[in-house]
Amino acid sequence: ADAGAGGAAGSGDAAARAARREMLMRYVREVDIDVLEAFSEAAPASVVEAMRTTVANMLGTLPPAFFDVRVATVAENLAQVMFSVMMTGYMFRNAQYRVELSKSVVGVLPESQGRSRVQTTPGEPGESSPGSASAAAQSAYAPGAQKQGIEGDVLRWNLEHERAEAMSAEEYIHLLEAEVAALQREVEEGRQQALRNSRSQRALSSGGAGAAAAAAAGVVDVFQSPSPGVNDIIEYLQSLEPAGVQELTAGASDEVLGAMNIFVQRLLETTAPAASAAAAAGGGLDPGETLETSATDLAKLLYWLMIVGYGLRTMEVRLDMDKLVGAPDGGGGGGGDGWGGALPGV
């Protein structure tokens, strides 16, 4: 009986992974470049600015109205850059999760506790132990809440079956509680690490340290000085050790990495002159083939890649939350981000 139950569980896990992989693959097959405008209008301004600043740092800022800048490279190098840029978008999404949750946690603390957490650095007088403020804020209540007497349903969009499905309000509350708890743990770990290393990492924005951190994480170097004004996403990334930056991308699932590779292949086949014919003939793209495009078109391409990486992380988090509470596969694709154009079916 136990062996039969184990086999059934293994079969269920395999089916869930297959459904998850298919949803991510479908996203990268269907998402088009029109998402740039929708994302720019609806995504948080700090994320949009971080992405645009990264692209500008990569390509330069000569005005296209007066300069026709051309960029040439071989297909293999372009593929590597594409993957790194997509992973950078994935990293920005994780950084945004942590920054937003950090702000929400500080916002609900008493003023004295919030100030001590934000302004105190390790080793300074009056510092409390990491996590003590948030522990004090939560100590008045036991985890969770009594849910007796809750009635009604909520509707969620199933990406796989393209239809709305009902979920009980009580089950949905469990889902939200699990998501908040997971994000709180993640942001607290990030805050503790940032506090421990805030002094030693202030120089990360210059010299080779930033480049080393980016290389270790497989992302583009975003640690150059940002444009005038404070960008909380880049500022947060600059506060981390190289290992902390790497943690923001190290958790990418095999399904996400596979989807990224499929999207890179899709773009290469439409960018390289001979790629479509080679693919139709059953051959692969020549890694030594020279590709050339304008800096303007390349900038749009890089921005698109970052948005797709950002979207993949959004979908991955929702799918993980669904799995955590045992919700049906495909129940949490990408709603609730405020910019539905980036995720199909929203």
Side-chain angles (χ1 to χ4, degrees), residues 49 225-232 234-235:
E49 181 193 15
S225 298
S227 56
V230 177
N231 184 299
D232 52 5
I234 295 180
E235 190 176 59

Side-chain angles (χ1 to χ4, degrees), residues 87-316:
M87 191 60 78
T88 303
Y90 183 98
M91 176 185 71
F92 280 146
R93 186 48 164 152
N94 269 338
Q96 182 196 349
Y97 278 133
R98 294 189 178 188
V99 168
E100 289 181 346
L101 187 54
S102 174
K103 289 180 178 179
S104 67
V105 169
V106 172
V108 300
L109 296 177
E111 183 178 355
S112 60
Q113 290 179 338
R115 185 183 301 115
S116 68
R117 284 181 63 77
V118 173
Q119 295 182 351
T120 334
T121 55
E124 292 181 352
E127 178 197 8
S128 58
S129 60
S132 60
S134 60
Q138 299 295 333
S139 61
Y141 300 95
Q146 188 176 23
K147 303 174 183 63
Q148 293 181 352
I150 295 176
E151 298 179 354
D153 295 329
V154 297
L155 294 178
R156 308 187 71 202
W157 187 259
N158 189 312
L159 288 176
E160 183 180 8
H161 300 104
E162 296 185 342
R163 67 179 181 225
E165 294 183 352
M167 172 185 285
S168 71
E170 181 176 350
E171 186 178 357
Y172 190 59
I173 291 173
H174 281 295
L175 174 68
L176 294 178
E177 286 179 342
E179 184 171 351
V180 168
L183 291 174
Q184 283 178 330
R185 288 193 299 269
E186 186 176 1
V187 77
E188 185 59 30
E189 291 171 1
R191 287 182 62 82
Q192 289 181 20
Q193 186 176 35
L195 285 172
R196 289 195 300 269
N197 300 287
S198 58
R199 287 183 172 177
S200 62
Q201 294 303 318
R202 286 176 184 171
L204 191 62
S205 59
S206 61
V219 300
V220 176
D221 184 2
V222 300
F223 304 101
Q224 305 174 51
S225 298
S227 56
V230 177
N231 184 299
D232 52 5
I233 301 295
I234 295 180
E235 190 176 59
Y236 170 74
L237 291 170
Q238 289 175 344
S239 74
L240 300 177
E241 284 187 341
V245 177
Q246 190 173 4
E247 286 179 2
L248 295 176
T249 59
S253 65
D254 291 341
E255 293 85 2
V256 164
L257 296 177
M260 288 183 175
N261 281 319
I262 291 296
F263 190 62
V264 168
Q265 187 62 34
R266 170 190 163 187
L267 295 185
L268 286 175
E269 289 176 358
T270 57
T271 302
S276 297
L285 177 68
D286 180 3
E289 179 180 355
T290 300
L291 309 176
E292 182 177 339
T293 186
S294 68
T296 301
D297 289 342
L298 183 57
K300 292 179 181 178
L301 177 65
L302 297 178
Y303 188 30
W304 186 17
L305 284 157
M306 269 189 272
I307 291 172
V308 171
Y310 181 102
L312 284 170
R313 178 52 180 159
T314 300
M315 294 182 70
E316 185 180 40

